[in-house]
Amino acid sequence: MKAYNIILLICLFVSACASSTQEHATPTAIAATSTATLTETPGATFTPTETLTSTVTFTPTITTTPTFAFPTVTVNKQAHCRYGPSVAYLHAADLYPGDAGTVRGRYVYSNWLYIKFDKLDYFCWVAPSVVDVVGDVATVARKELNLQSIGSNQYGPPKGVTAVRDGNKVTITWNQVQMTKDKDRGYLLELFVCQDTIYKWWTDSYPDQYTTSYTVKDEAGCAQPSSGKLYTVEKHGFSEPAVIPWPAP
């Protein structure tokens, strides 16, 4: 009986051990096979934002050229405006106190002024003593004289022009130019002479065609040679010049 109980206990013990072993066995993991299909979402395509570069339009800076302010004149006494820069030249217009204009030039060899008077549609020359000037005439350019630009002359220059020296005097002679009375304005002389060692621009005129000689003082002592021109003058203008054959001192 004792032996039987011992065997029974042994069997119960073995059975308990087997049961305990089965309960604590490590389960075998089953690898799960994923059947899910991954749908790839394509990366978004970004259209770059276009940056517009505006065209810059530059407005050029306008540089204004200042208008030259010609000196102004006002006539201060009754006088004459002439077609050349001395009293030897043809009369161009009558001037009266208050007549106004602007200085457009000054002569190379004298102080006469080339004026555009408001009342005239042409230019003429005046002595500075007959006008009051506002402004600096030294800023105005010097002007050469072109007598052939003034009207016309139908007679041509004098013929037979000669010049004879007697010491310090030179006498110029020429043939008379036959002009009608209404057109006759005589002759004009433009000379360069030496007097007291000073080289001078010298002008003179005759009012009609009948005087055909002229005497002027001319000496040695200047660096430049003396010379001269002679014109026929009629009411419309001046002829081409006749060159005077000037005798040396």
Side-chain angles (χ1 to χ4, degrees):
M1 189 66 177
K2 255 181 168 179
Y4 174 78
N5 291 336
I6 293 171
I7 293 170
L8 179 61
L9 289 171
I10 292 170
C11 289
L12 291 172
F13 178 79
V14 172
S15 176
C17 289
S19 175
S20 175
T21 301
Q22 287 178 351
E23 288 178 4
H24 294 87
T26 302
T28 301
I30 300 174
T33 302
S34 175
T35 59
T37 303
L38 299 177
T39 303
E40 183 179 356
T41 302
T45 301
F46 294 98
T47 302
T49 302
E50 183 177 358
T51 302
L52 298 178
T53 303
S54 60
T55 301
V56 179
T57 302
F58 293 99
T59 303
T61 301
I62 300 175
T63 303
T64 58
T65 302
T67 302
F68 178 75
F70 291 104
T72 60
V73 297
T74 304
V75 176
N76 56 36
K77 66 181 72 174
Q78 186 172 346
H80 299 295
C81 194
R82 296 186 178 273
Y83 284 115
S86 83
V87 295
Y89 293 89
L90 279 174
H91 169 272
D94 291 319
L95 301 176
Y96 300 95
D99 288 344
T102 52
V103 180
R104 302 303 181 89
R106 51 196 176 113
Y107 193 49
V108 178
Y109 306 117
S110 77
N111 59 359
W112 279 49
L113 303 175
Y114 191 57
I115 307 293
K116 173 59 178 71
F117 282 101
D118 298 344
K119 72 175 187 178
L120 302 176
D121 59 2
Y122 53 90
F123 295 75
C124 55
W125 295 86
V126 298
S129 60
V130 304
V131 292
D132 296 324
V133 181
V134 176
D136 185 3
V137 296
T139 63
V140 181
R142 292 197 179 272
K143 180 176 175 57
E144 294 283 355
L145 189 59
N146 179 12
L147 294 179
Q148 276 64 61
S149 67
I150 303 166
S152 61
N153 186 297
Q154 70 180 68
Y155 296 107
K159 305 295 184 182
V161 180
T162 63
V164 177
R165 178 178 292 278
D166 181 11
N168 63 358
K169 293 183 180 180
V170 172
T171 299
I172 306 157
T173 60
W174 59 92
N175 298 336
Q176 179 183 341
V177 178
Q178 300 288 334
M179 292 181 273
T180 61
K181 185 176 181 179
D182 69 311
K183 293 181 179 178
D184 183 8
R185 298 296 186 272
Y187 309 100
L188 168 71
L189 295 109
E190 290 181 334
L191 313 175
F192 286 96
V193 295
C194 183
Q195 296 180 354
D196 303 318
T197 69
I198 300 173
Y199 194 63
K200 297 181 178 181
W201 179 70
W202 186 281
T203 61
D204 212 339
S205 61
Y206 288 124
D208 58 47
Q209 62 189 289
Y210 302 107
T211 303
T212 59
S213 68
Y214 185 81
T215 299
V216 63
K217 179 182 176 181
D218 180 60
E219 304 169 309
C222 292
Q224 300 95 328
S226 298
S227 62
K229 296 177 181 178
L230 178 66
Y231 301 81
T232 301
V233 186
E234 55 117 311
K235 70 177 183 180
H236 297 108
F238 303 86
S239 71
E240 292 285 339
V243 177
I244 300 169
W246 206 268

